[in-house]
Amino acid sequence: MPKTLRYTLLSLREMLLSAGPFAFLTIALLCLTYWWLNPTPPKRVVLATGPAQSAYDEFGKRYAEALARYGITVELKQSEGSSANLELLRNGEADLGFVQGGTADIGYDDEDSIVSLGSLFVEPLWLFYREDSAQRLHKKPVVTKLSELKGWRVNVGTPGSGVPRLFTTLLDVNRLQASELKLSELEQTPATVAFLNGELDAVVFASAPESLMVQMLLQTPGIRLLDFAQSEAYSRRFGYLTPVVMPQGVVDLAANIPPRNVRLVASTTSLLAHSDTHPAILQLFAQTSTTLHGGASWFSKAREYPSLEHSEVPISSEAQRAIKSGPPFLQRYLPFWLANMIERVWLAMGLIIVLALPLSRIVPPLYAFRIRSRVFRWYAELRDIEQHAESGSDSTEDLLEQLDAMESKVEKIVVPLSYTDELYALRNNIHLVRKRLQAPRRAVRADAAAAS
């Protein structure tokens, strides 16, 4: 092997041995940080939506399509509605879910286990009724308030939707007992079929206008939508309700549907998540919500939603950043997985670097010590030979043999070129000790020669 290559390999080996412990410590800390911060989000999450063809179901499909671009599979779990979604979150059967304000029983215990990603949109309470039913029961085709529904066949949706609870509350403030109506709790699709067939007089939905059922009923002849003339009063009585107005002609301008402004009461729907859901997933859903719900709609202006208001549980910090500031700086230029990892571990990495930098200063002295020790450790043996020579405990011949053996070993020592001066200094010192040992023998020989 060429000497130059041999010296280079020697330097590299000693450098690796010197820096190895510190490199291992740094890598171990980075691995521990990665495990603790868990920057990589799961590839699959469960989103609790609602009944088939509902607004929740449609929005769920849009979220799944949006997150698929990031390699995240969103499994849509259909349910009866808000109350059922809240139970799925509590039981850990869903990671996220749509929950309408006022329709689910949210308690103090939920504040520790559930977080909100903001209010997404308003969901009016749609009360559709048949004109012929109103004519038959009240001798007029128009119903103006809830108290006129006494004796009607009304479907209020499944218990899991939360609508029965909300509607019963509204009946109570109108001094109308639920027992005074013929209430049913069918799902949206069979209830709509029964309603159109005349088996029901009215149906109640709490849904966004994107719901296919709502869109269809708004344009069905003989079906009317209750105008909540007291919508402002309802909102003052119940904090989770908001008065909204559906403008004339907003459904169909050409057909002028509706023919006049319709006043409604609405609650805001939030996207709730289990507190254990990965922060990166919360961030992605919050960012996606600004795209899906940030435009103008029948009941909101552009960029009015998503909103951090009207939340019944604490707002996630990821949602606050996403809604207020938009995508983080790094995500605008880097792939999501890389930007997310850097954002989550940069502080810990900084602390590790701050710790590693002072330790790294030990590496050069340690490297020099390891190289020089290959030379210096022979000085101990050389000193022993000198001490034995001074004490006379060993014969000069034995000491010279030990010195020759040591010198043959020293000649095989290889050090980097920058440290050869110390190696040559050792060999000179060995030569010096040899001369001292041989001096008495020369003197004896000189005396013997002079006497002869």
Side-chain angles (χ1 to χ4, degrees), residues 129-204:
Y129 62 91
R130 298 178 60 91
E131 287 184 357
D132 56 0
S133 295
Q135 187 69 43
R136 174 171 50 84
L137 296 170
H138 287 288
K139 309 302 180 185
K140 57 180 182 178
V142 178
V143 175
T144 58
K145 52 187 177 180
L146 291 179
S147 58
E148 297 177 2
L149 300 180
K150 185 176 181 180
W152 283 42
R153 299 167 298 175
V154 182
N155 186 79
V156 294
T158 58
S161 67
V163 178
R165 180 174 180 269
L166 175 60
F167 190 67
T168 300
T169 302
L170 299 185
L171 291 178
D172 289 341
V173 297
N174 281 276
R175 300 176 186 173
L176 187 63
Q177 300 298 320
S179 57
E180 298 180 82
L181 285 77
K182 299 176 182 178
L183 299 180
S184 60
E185 297 181 341
L186 301 175
E187 294 184 356
Q188 281 191 9
T189 300
T192 302
V193 173
F195 177 58
L196 295 176
N197 291 336
E199 300 172 17
L200 294 172
D201 301 313
V203 290
V204 181

Side-chain angles (χ1 to χ4, degrees), residues 37 51 81 89 97 106 143 146 158-159 220 222 226 233 269 282 333 362 410 427 433:
L37 294 177
L89 289 174
I106 298 179
V143 175
L146 291 179
T158 58
T220 301
L226 178 64
T269 291
L282 300 182
Y333 305 99
I362 303 176
V410 169
R427 295 173 67 177
V433 173

Side-chain angles (χ1 to χ4, degrees), residues 321-397:
R321 288 193 294 269
I323 294 174
K324 290 182 178 179
S325 307
F329 175 78
L330 291 178
Q331 287 189 28
R332 301 172 189 174
Y333 305 99
L334 297 176
F336 169 76
W337 67 269
L338 179 59
N340 172 71
M341 184 173 67
I342 294 175
E343 289 167 6
R344 289 187 56 76
V345 304
W346 72 268
L347 180 59
M349 289 178 62
L351 294 176
I352 292 173
I353 291 173
V354 169
L355 176 64
L357 280 177
L359 292 177
S360 65
R361 296 181 179 179
I362 303 176
V363 174
L366 181 60
Y367 170 76
F369 172 77
R370 290 185 59 85
I371 296 296
R372 297 177 70 182
S373 66
R374 298 168 67 91
V375 176
F376 288 170
R377 64 188 183 90
W378 294 101
Y379 279 100
E381 186 174 343
L382 187 61
R383 184 174 58 184
D384 289 341
I385 292 174
E386 283 188 301
Q387 291 176 348
H388 290 160
E390 292 174 357
S391 64
S393 57
D394 292 341
S395 64
T396 302
E397 288 76 9

Side-chain angles (χ1 to χ4, degrees), residues 3-4 7-8 10-11 414-422 424:
K3 290 185 177 181
T4 304
Y7 293 151
T8 302
L10 174 65
S11 298
V414 179
V415 296
L417 293 176
S418 57
Y419 291 89
T420 53
D421 57 336
E422 297 181 3
Y424 283 111

